[in-house]
Amino acid sequence: MALVRTRIAPSPTGFLHLGTARTALYSWAFARHHGGQFVLRIEDTDVARSTDESVDQILRSMAWLGLEYDEGPIYQMQRLARYHEVAEQLIAAGHAYRCWCTPEQLDAMREAQRSRGEKTRYDGTWRPEPGKVLPAVPEGVRPVVRLRNPPTGDVAWNDLVKGPISISNEEIDDLILLRPAPEGSPAGDEALGVPTYNFAVVVDDWDMRITHVFRGDEHINNTPWQINIYRALGAPLPLFGHFPVILGDDGLKLSKRRGAVSVTSYEESGYLPEAMLNYLARLGWSHGDDELFTREQIVEWFDGSHLSKSPAQWDPAKLAWVNAHYMKQADDERLAGLARAQLASRGVAFDDLDRLRRAAALFKDRCTTVVELADWIEMLVTPVAPRAEELAPLLTPPVVSALRALRDRLGEVPWDKVSIAAAVKSVVAEQGLKMPAVAMPLRLLLCGRAQTPSIDAVLELFAREDVLGRLQHV
Ligand code: GLU
């Protein structure tokens, strides 16, 4: 096989969508699997909607997921001269032509077609044909460039995901390749009009020697046009693979209106990139019954087979399960850093790195996300409010005496787990109580909740004065 080259080509009109992240992952893994290369291209020709902020978000999400690219980011708006050059070549070869129809004329054309019950399409006014006399070029109208699409025959390809697809050329019309720059544009490259998506994507994929084009199936209808542009250019065709959409848990297309769809929002919600990658990999691809895979395994196994033809369903509970798995696996030092950043974003400064690391080690097994881990750690330094109806019934007179005795004892013992455990044990024994009778109210008073890791381990993480303070009013 020739050197495999794949790409991801997001439009910077928002964050990196989960669907695009999945396509990026598959394209990256496929390239890596075959020892190929992966390119990042920023499709910023929608000038009105593209923003630098969105570019930053996309780059950041790619970096967060660890999808490193071999080339890029390449910006389409820096390649305008190239699209114009290729358009001129197509015109010279008779595969494209200028069209001076005004938007008003096109509207009228479509209106007339509609009223005759016909499908709306460009009627070929400016399409050159042997022996045809073209209209006179009007004054003051800047032309677009259109592809001279073959009028008959089929466009067919064997989709890497969906299998054979064929569309008749009669279904598609002479698409616009280039639009003119707006009146009064400054000189230089900005004076060049911008290409349409279908044209720019072909010129780029051709120039960048892309061998496998993976993208969402909302682009299936664009592919026949693109194939016809490749043919007009005499360029080799890449292989195409179109992934089905991702559905939300309501069975509708995952969209902004129905919950988090950006990679960034999952980062902010405390998911780990390796969990995201794992979950996205499995969403539309399988390797036997495996649910958990490392990056290395994804690369090893992702050969373009076992891709699902049907839409995948976004399953937050499963993502949480995958994330919890990686939380347990994660290095304590790393989790400590992530939790610290999470706390900082809440305005809570926690600078005792050793304590943070020990807290991460103790709590990580109970946490689905870094946000939950930060909740546990925050409790060590910010007051908690145990629910009175939970606490009051536990505070029987012997328990209150035990807690008071414990407070005194904890004021003196060395602050380590063994000494703390011995203090708790002896107080419980002295009062003739059972461990849970004391441990339970202790948990509520200290942590504000009844379920915690072993009480001595939790106590040790607190600063002594905070423990004494929280036991003050028993
Ligand atoms: N800019 C297009 C998008 O974000 C890219 C589609 C493609 O990969 O060809 O949908």
Side-chain angles (χ1 to χ4, degrees):
M1 201 191 308
L3 179 70
V4 167
R5 293 196 21 119
T6 61
R7 57 25 169 218
I8 187 71
S11 303
T13 53
F15 41 71
L16 189 70
H17 186 282
L18 294 170
T20 313
R22 182 184 63 170
T23 303
L25 166 61
Y26 289 179
S27 304
W28 169 86
F30 186 79
R32 291 285 173 269
H33 177 85
H34 290 288
Q37 292 161 346
F38 173 57
V39 179
L40 171 64
R41 181 168 75 228
I42 302 289
E43 301 207 326
D44 53 355
T45 54
D46 185 345
V47 182
R49 292 174 58 230
S50 297
T51 64
D52 291 346
E53 195 200 341
S54 163
V55 170
D56 289 347
Q57 275 228 22
I58 290 169
L59 299 184
R60 198 183 124 171
S61 296
M62 294 287 289
W64 184 68
L65 290 170
L67 299 178
E68 32 355 269
Y69 32 91
D70 304 287
E71 283 164 38
I74 297 164
Y75 296 85
Q76 289 190 322
M77 286 306 280
Q78 293 175 6
R79 290 176 42 79
L80 292 185
R82 174 64 182 148
Y83 308 125
H84 281 258
E85 180 184 42
V86 176
E88 290 304 333
Q89 283 167 13
L90 286 173
I91 294 172
H95 292 304
Y97 59 93
R98 290 196 164 77
C99 160
W100 280 266
C101 285
T102 60
E104 295 72 32
Q105 282 173 313
L106 293 171
D107 283 347
M109 188 188 298
R110 280 190 283 263
E111 198 40 57
Q113 286 164 341
R114 250 179 244 122
S115 67
R116 292 196 298 268
E118 293 169 14
K119 205 171 154 206
T120 59
R121 56 189 291 139
Y122 178 62
D123 69 358
T125 302
W126 290 92
R127 181 180 165 112
E129 303 288 2
K132 175 175 167 187
V133 180
L134 295 174
V137 171
E139 288 280 317
V141 179
R142 292 181 168 214
V144 299
V145 177
R146 286 184 185 271
L147 180 71
R148 198 165 173 277
N149 203 65
T152 54
D154 291 332
V155 192
W157 76 96
N158 195 2
D159 196 273
L160 295 168
V161 183
K162 309 240 173 189
I165 300 180
S166 172
I167 289 169
S168 161
N169 270 320
E170 279 151 39
E171 295 287 312
I172 56 184
D173 61 2
D174 286 1
L175 108 137
I176 297 177
L177 303 178
L178 270 183
R179 292 183 195 284
E183 204 84 47
S185 304
D189 270 9
E190 299 85 75
L192 298 171
V194 290
T196 55
Y197 155 69
N198 279 308
F199 184 47
V201 87
V202 171
V203 174
D204 288 350
D205 285 339
W206 178 36
D207 282 353
M208 294 164 202
R209 306 183 317 284
I210 301 302
T211 55
H212 297 74
V213 169
F214 291 108
R215 59 189 166 209
D217 65 4
E218 69 274 19
H219 286 293
I220 279 198
N221 291 338
N222 287 318
T223 304
W225 270 314
Q226 295 180 17
I227 290 177
N228 283 342
I229 300 173
Y230 277 99
R231 290 198 174 132
L233 288 169
L237 275 183
L239 296 170
F240 294 95
H242 292 89
F243 301 119
V245 289
I246 302 175
L247 301 177
D249 41 14
D250 53 4
L252 298 169
K253 189 171 176 220
L254 200 64
S255 87
K256 200 147 101 183
R257 264 165 289 129
R258 285 191 299 278
V261 290
S262 69
V263 171
T264 335
S265 65
Y266 285 89
E267 181 184 1
E268 283 161 4
S269 305
Y271 288 83
L272 297 174
E274 61 269 38
M276 246 6 235
L277 220 56
N278 185 146
Y279 180 74
L280 286 171
R282 185 65 191 82
L283 198 66
W285 170 73
S286 58
H287 180 265
D289 291 333
D290 292 328
E291 291 295 348
L292 296 168
F293 352 72
T294 61
R295 281 165 73 83
E296 291 71 29
Q297 286 168 328
I298 297 173
V299 168
E300 189 186 332
W301 293 332
F302 197 92
D303 60 2
S305 63
H306 301 103
L307 290 166
S308 173
K309 284 192 174 60
S310 45
Q313 183 124 8
W314 188 258
D315 180 351
K318 184 164 165 201
L319 173 61
W321 174 78
V322 173
N323 206 62
H325 165 79
Y326 286 100
M327 289 290 292
K328 289 192 188 77
Q329 308 263 309
D331 175 65
D332 299 336
E333 194 92 32
R334 171 180 171 219
L335 287 179
L338 291 171
R340 187 182 187 208
Q342 174 63 230
L343 290 169
S345 75
R346 302 176 186 179
V348 178
F350 201 123
D351 298 322
D352 182 343
L353 294 183
D354 176 59
R355 192 143 72 108
L356 268 177
R357 194 184 37 71
R358 287 185 288 120
L362 184 64
F363 297 127
K364 69 180 183 182
D365 286 1
R366 313 185 158 242
C367 297
T368 300
T369 62
V370 173
V371 168
E372 283 181 19
L373 177 60
D375 290 343
W376 278 104
I377 299 177
E378 185 174 356
M379 149 218 106
L380 298 172
V381 288
T382 59
V384 292
R387 293 193 311 148
E389 62 275 27
E390 221 177 331
L391 183 61
L394 303 176
L395 295 178
T396 58
V399 168
V400 170
S401 315
L403 290 172
R404 286 182 182 153
L406 182 63
R407 189 183 66 213
D408 294 343
R409 201 80 48 94
L410 291 177
E412 293 155 8
V413 295
W415 204 248
D416 60 65
K417 194 174 149 192
V418 174
S419 314
I420 292 171
V424 178
K425 227 182 189 156
S426 61
V427 165
V428 168
E430 282 158 24
Q431 300 290 329
L433 293 164
K434 291 234 166 13
M435 184 55 107
V438 177
M440 199 53 88
L442 248 187
R443 288 188 163 101
L444 288 169
L445 285 161
L446 289 168
C447 310
R449 48 174 130 187
Q451 311 286 325
T452 75
S454 90
I455 191 65
D456 45 350
V458 176
L459 272 165
E460 187 206 24
L461 285 176
F462 279 91
R464 186 198 306 262
E465 58 281 9
D466 287 329
V467 169
L468 302 184
R470 286 181 204 196
L471 295 180
Q472 195 68 40
H473 305 291
V474 201

